[in-house]
Each structure stands twice: as structure tokens, then as C-alpha cells.
Amino acid sequence: MIQEAINRYLLKTKQNCLSPKAVLFDMDGVLYDSMRFHARAWHETAMNHHLQAVEEDFYMYEGRTGDSTINELYQRTFQRDATEKEKKEIYEEKATFFNRYNDGKAMTGAADVLAAVKNAGLQTLVVTGSGQHSLINKLEHTYPGYFTREKMVTAFDVKYGKPHPEPYLMGLEKAGVKANEAFVVENAPMGVEAGVAAGIFTIAVNTGPLPDKVLLDAGADLLYPDMTSLAKDWNNIMECIKKSGN
Ligand code: MG
């Protein structure tokens, strides 16, 4: 299955080989078990502002910038974009709710994935659409020795955000590697789309409530149910890459 995924990737991207040197990790739903708090915070904020939304929407929109999510809700409810003032107010309210609910828990298995990646000699970077300082600033503490602010792409660095390839292209640049020299690890459909659009081999972990199909349709090259199973399979992935003559 891994071998087939590699062959499909090479064909699709017209690359000769996959030779990983870096892994670009999404943050929410991959490194932190924080998506349910984001979804709850977004949904409550939307209700307060009479915006049409259900909690699942926020798993579908995950990875987008806050502004883009707010515009989507305004378009849907009022058939117009939100004003700058509305965007600021709503994002701040959402952040307040999020910080109240979020327990800052690391995603189960994520530390094992990081250890396996480091052990394989690959760099580790974070590429997130998040602008939540509360989590971004915690990364170096939760996962000591893996991430530095210089090698991070956040909402503060990008113009478009996921599903645009921009954040992952920026991640490649920060890592100093090419598209066929990296992996993306993502849990969100729009994040997967962004990784794939950047030409990177994209591994999805379905840590949320969406059906697997949504991540596969977004173009995921491989799919795991959680970070623990990805950690267990990491050496197998690396072996398959070696075997495929890379
Ligand atoms: Mg995510």
C-alpha cells in the first residue's frame, strides 16, 4: 500500500524520486488535541453573532485563516463579506473562548512520530494556519528540541493560508528542501489540499469526526487513523522509500 502510494505520487508530480529530508507538521489536530476546542469556540461565537453554522463546519474549514472563515460565515448568512471591525471582534471572541476551553494537551502519539522522524535524520517544522499565540508559544515547551520559531510558518507569516499551497511552499523554503524532499502531516481536508498543491507527499491522520473519504478526496497520499499508528508505521514508510530505489 505504501509502495503504491509512492508510485502514484511520483507519477502525479512527475518526480523521479522521493528523498525525504524534512517533515512539515500541521499543529492543531496533529501535534495538539485542540480541534474540538476550536470547533466549540467557533460555533459558540457564530451563534452569538447569529451566523449560520454547525460544529462540523469548523473541521471542514480547519487550516483557513480566521478572516477567511469569518467571511465564509458572513457570505452564507448575510451574502456579504465581514467588515474589518466585525472580523477583528469575532476572531478575538473566538480566541477568548478557545483559550478558556483549551487544555493544551499534546496529541497522543505525536511525540512518538517526532522521535521516529528525528531518528530517521529528518528535520521537523510546523506549518499552521493558526494565529493563537497560546499554542504556538507552547510548541517548543511541549516538544523540546523539535521546533524553533524561525522554522515555523503561522498565520502571521502567510497571506493566503491553506488550502492555498503558500504555507507549505514557505515551509519548504524554511527547511531549505524541495517538494520531493519533504512530507506533510495533516489532519484537515484543506490542509491536505495545501500540501498536495505544494507538490509534497501528504500523510493524513484522521483525528477528528470527518469521514476518511473527505481526506482521501482532498488528495492524501496515505491515511492513518491517528498519530500512534503513524508512529508505528514510520520505519516501514522509510524502508519502502529506500526500496523504491530512492
Ligand atoms: Mg490541523
Side-chain angles (χ1 to χ4, degrees):
M1 203 190 78
I2 297 170
Q3 202 59 59
E4 283 166 28
I6 295 168
N7 293 341
R8 262 200 315 272
Y9 166 83
L10 295 176
L11 208 63
K12 178 180 73 178
T13 56
K14 302 188 176 68
Q15 299 277 5
N16 304 319
C17 67
L18 184 58
S19 45
K21 296 186 170 71
V23 183
L24 312 180
F25 288 93
D26 171 52
M27 183 174 77
D28 291 286
V30 169
L31 297 173
Y32 287 111
D33 191 7
S34 49
M35 261 317 291
R36 57 214 157 99
F37 305 121
H38 280 293
R40 184 175 163 200
W42 271 119
H43 187 241
E44 284 186 21
T45 306
M47 294 301 99
N48 286 348
H49 293 264
H50 310 287
L51 296 164
Q52 295 169 22
V54 293
E55 223 167 284
E56 195 175 83
D57 288 337
F58 302 103
Y59 289 94
M60 288 301 292
Y61 298 160
E62 188 193 344
R64 287 178 119 162
T65 61
D67 279 5
S68 138
T69 296
I70 295 164
N71 276 338
E72 172 81 30
L73 298 177
Y74 266 78
Q75 280 294 346
R76 176 196 285 188
T77 312
F78 304 119
Q79 292 76 51
R80 66 166 176 88
D81 277 352
T83 63
E84 288 307 311
K85 185 172 169 283
E86 286 164 338
K87 282 190 277 199
K88 189 169 178 287
E89 190 187 322
I90 289 178
Y91 195 74
E92 278 174 12
E93 189 175 321
K94 183 261 163 176
T96 304
F97 278 134
F98 175 74
N99 289 331
R100 188 178 304 160
Y101 302 144
N102 182 37
D103 57 12
K105 267 205 189 116
M107 180 61 78
T108 306
D112 301 330
V113 173
L114 288 169
V117 167
K118 198 174 209 177
N119 193 39
L122 312 186
Q123 288 186 69
T124 50
L125 289 88
V126 167
V127 177
T128 177
S130 173
Q132 302 276 173
H133 291 285
S134 57
L135 281 187
I136 294 165
N137 297 342
K138 252 182 83 126
L139 273 167
E140 291 173 61
H141 173 78
T142 311
Y143 299 107
Y146 289 104
F147 305 112
T148 57
R149 186 62 189 87
E150 307 80 71
K151 295 222 168 178
M152 246 177 236
V153 179
T154 74
F156 307 107
D157 304 301
V158 300
K159 187 172 167 202
Y160 303 107
K162 302 169 188 175
H164 196 281
E166 174 204 31
Y168 281 114
L169 292 174
M170 227 177 241
L172 291 177
E173 209 178 293
K174 288 201 175 189
V177 303
K178 298 191 208 91
N180 66 329
E181 294 173 336
F183 288 127
V184 161
V185 180
E186 261 290 351
N187 70 305
M190 286 188 175
V192 168
E193 272 180 57
V196 171
I200 307 169
F201 190 93
T202 300
I203 302 170
V205 282
N206 194 0
T207 60
L210 300 176
D212 285 352
K213 186 175 185 302
V214 178
L215 293 166
L216 294 170
D217 288 349
D221 293 290
L222 282 176
L223 176 73
Y224 290 89
D226 48 42
M227 290 294 271
T228 304
S229 40
L230 173 58
K232 281 187 189 143
D233 214 28
W234 191 266
N235 290 340
N236 192 18
I237 297 174
M238 298 306 289
E239 276 305 307
C240 283
I241 288 170
K242 260 186 227 152
K243 265 191 234 148
S244 66
N246 292 288

